Amino acid sequence: PGAMGEPGEIYIISGKGENVFKYHGNICNFIKKGENVMSKVYDVIVLGAGPAGLAAGLYAGRSRLSTLVIEKGKDGGQIAITDDIENYPGQIVEGESGPSLIARMTQQCEKFGVERASDVINEVHLDGDIKVLKSAKAEYQSKTVIIATGAFARPIGCKGEKEFMGKGVSYCATCDANFFEDFEVYVVGGGDSAVEEAMYLTKFARKVTIIHRRDELRAAKSIQEKAFKNEKLHFMWDTVVEEVGGDGILSEMTVKNVKTGELTKIVADEDDGMFGVFGFIGTLPNSKIYEGTGLEMDERGYIPTDADMHTNIPGVFAAGDIRVKSLRQVVTAAADGAIAATQAEKYINELK
């Protein structure tokens, strides 16, 4: 006998694979007699269990397609570390968090028979009618693949950053600006996105300070002109963030002047008790594994698609933050996933 799968899910294989049973909680499902579970050819394999991947799984499962969602870590992607959500249509109005929203998405996938695997894919073969995905412990095959492995914000690189993510440190002004209404906010970066997001934050925060390691911005001149005219926007030149801290919520920060080496400690206003730090020094797509596979990517590693999520490879779709797109939000990721799954079904039907 052998066991494999994710926590709470056990496969029992008798003999040489003649009988395979899947146990999930108190439920036992017979997979298929005479077939090893790893030789199954799925209709759809979804890589990633963030909002895009789970939406794709939901739509594929509900369409009665045999569907497997593979996730190497915790469901949710970037949204899993968000304590408060306010802009997802239909959410719980008060008290919705990233984990609570994702938990319901996961349950919906389970309801429609979507299978799950906790695994790290390290090799992909996307050409041909059957796509092959390999990990250190298994090989997965599918008629279609939906890539929803997302992107992640380039970290600021200071001490305490990880501990205060979602507790004062953020990488998304659209997501979190409202939580800092009438507070002080610091923005790390000097490019187009950093300055644009800083200007957006001035609609909420009473004061926004851009921290930049150089003595001039890298943003386009037209953007700079608007920024310098904004009375709520201030600048801290030749400076980097060394450390962030506080008692459970961000309330202090140490910065360093890169020319003099001088360290300065910034403490939250006594009446506020906290402030925000937003990092905008770029995002990185989780796409390295697709290099050399024939999958088209832009110079940054993002995957271009058409409006229906098709990539340049037939049967391969991309959804969510890994796509080339203008807005990376939970709602747009979920929409991408739904479209990708619908198009995957159409592709499979055309194969018959």
Side-chain angles (χ1 to χ4, degrees):
M4 55 196 160
E6 62 174 15
E9 184 170 276
I10 301 175
Y11 292 84
I12 304 297
I13 305 173
S14 64
K16 296 182 179 179
E18 297 94 347
N19 297 295
V20 181
F21 296 88
K22 181 173 75 172
Y23 291 86
H24 190 90
N26 295 320
I27 302 173
C28 174
N29 293 322
F30 180 63
I31 301 297
K32 188 171 180 181
K33 185 174 182 179
E35 178 183 70
N36 187 290
V37 68
M38 290 308 176
S39 68
K40 178 176 180 177
V41 178
Y42 289 91
D43 290 323
V44 179
I45 287 182
V46 182
L47 292 175
L54 292 173
L58 167 61
Y59 272 72
R62 195 167 182 268
S63 296
R64 302 295 187 266
L65 300 175
S66 60
T67 305
L68 174 69
V69 174
I70 302 175
E71 170 58 54
K72 65 180 180 180
K74 184 167 61 173
D75 284 7
Q78 294 187 72
I79 200 66
I81 61 172
T82 301
D83 287 336
D84 294 285
I85 295 177
E86 290 189 328
N87 59 356
Y88 188 79
Q91 66 166 80
I92 298 171
V93 177
E94 298 292 339
E96 185 76 282
S97 68
S100 67
L101 180 63
I102 289 300
R104 295 200 302 279
M105 290 184 178
T106 299
Q107 289 171 354
Q108 285 179 291
C109 285
E110 292 175 354
K111 177 182 177 180
F112 291 104
V114 175
E115 295 183 38
R116 299 295 306 271
S118 180
D119 208 348
V120 178
I121 301 300
N122 50 38
E123 184 179 342
V124 297
H125 300 275
L126 302 175
D127 54 345
D129 291 340
I130 303 300
K131 321 299 181 185
V132 180
L133 313 175
K134 297 181 179 180
S135 72
K137 64 181 181 181
E139 178 177 297
Y140 306 91
Q141 299 181 49
S142 182
K143 298 173 185 175
T144 64
V145 171
I146 297 175
I147 299 172
T149 44
F152 58 97
R154 191 188 298 272
I156 297 169
C158 63
K159 295 178 182 178
E161 179 177 8
K162 185 176 181 181
E163 290 79 4
F164 286 90
M165 287 171 60
K167 299 176 181 178
V169 174
S170 175
Y171 309 93
C172 178
T174 307
C175 310
D176 297 334
N178 195 54
F179 302 125
F180 295 94
E181 189 160 3
D182 205 32
F183 283 89
E184 287 194 39
V185 164
Y186 296 85
V187 170
V188 182
D192 289 356
S193 62
V195 180
E196 288 177 335
E197 297 298 295
M199 286 191 288
Y200 176 78
L201 284 163
T202 62
K203 298 178 181 180
F204 302 86
R206 70 170 182 270
K207 179 182 177 182
V208 177
T209 302
I210 291 180
I211 299 174
H212 189 40
R213 66 183 305 120
R214 298 181 176 86
D215 58 6
E216 62 180 5
L217 298 173
R218 292 182 293 108
K221 294 298 182 183
S222 59
I223 297 174
Q224 291 190 42
E225 289 173 3
K226 293 179 182 178
F228 292 136
K229 291 178 181 178
N230 192 318
E231 294 181 355
K232 294 177 71 176
L233 202 53
H234 303 261
F235 301 88
M236 193 178 292
W237 305 110
D238 301 316
T239 301
V240 295
V241 179
E242 287 284 293
E243 185 174 3
V244 293
D247 187 12
I249 194 164
L250 183 61
S251 60
E252 58 185 50
M253 170 174 62
T254 301
V255 298
K256 183 176 80 171
N257 184 294
V258 296
K259 290 185 175 179
T260 66
E262 181 183 359
L263 295 175
T264 302
K265 187 172 185 178
I266 298 171
V267 179
D269 182 276
E270 188 175 345
D271 292 333
D272 294 343
M274 63 168 289
F275 55 77
V277 172
F278 286 75
F280 295 112
I281 52 178
T283 57
L284 301 170
N286 287 307
S287 62
K288 191 170 182 61
I289 187 178
Y290 312 115
E291 294 177 359
T293 64
L295 182 67
E296 182 183 352
M297 295 184 283
D298 70 8
E299 67 281 358
R300 298 178 299 165
Y302 289 96
I303 302 172
T305 71
D306 63 12
D308 287 329
M309 309 301 138
H310 295 91
T311 69
N312 66 307
I313 300 178
V316 179
F317 307 85
D321 287 2
I322 198 164
R323 286 182 59 226
V324 174
K325 58 192 299 186
S326 61
L327 182 63
R328 292 184 169 87
Q329 293 282 285
V330 178
V331 68
T332 61
D336 288 355
I339 294 169
T342 303
Q343 291 298 311
E345 180 185 18
K346 181 178 180 180
Y347 171 85
I348 291 168
N349 289 337
E350 291 173 351
L351 288 178
K352 296 177 182 178

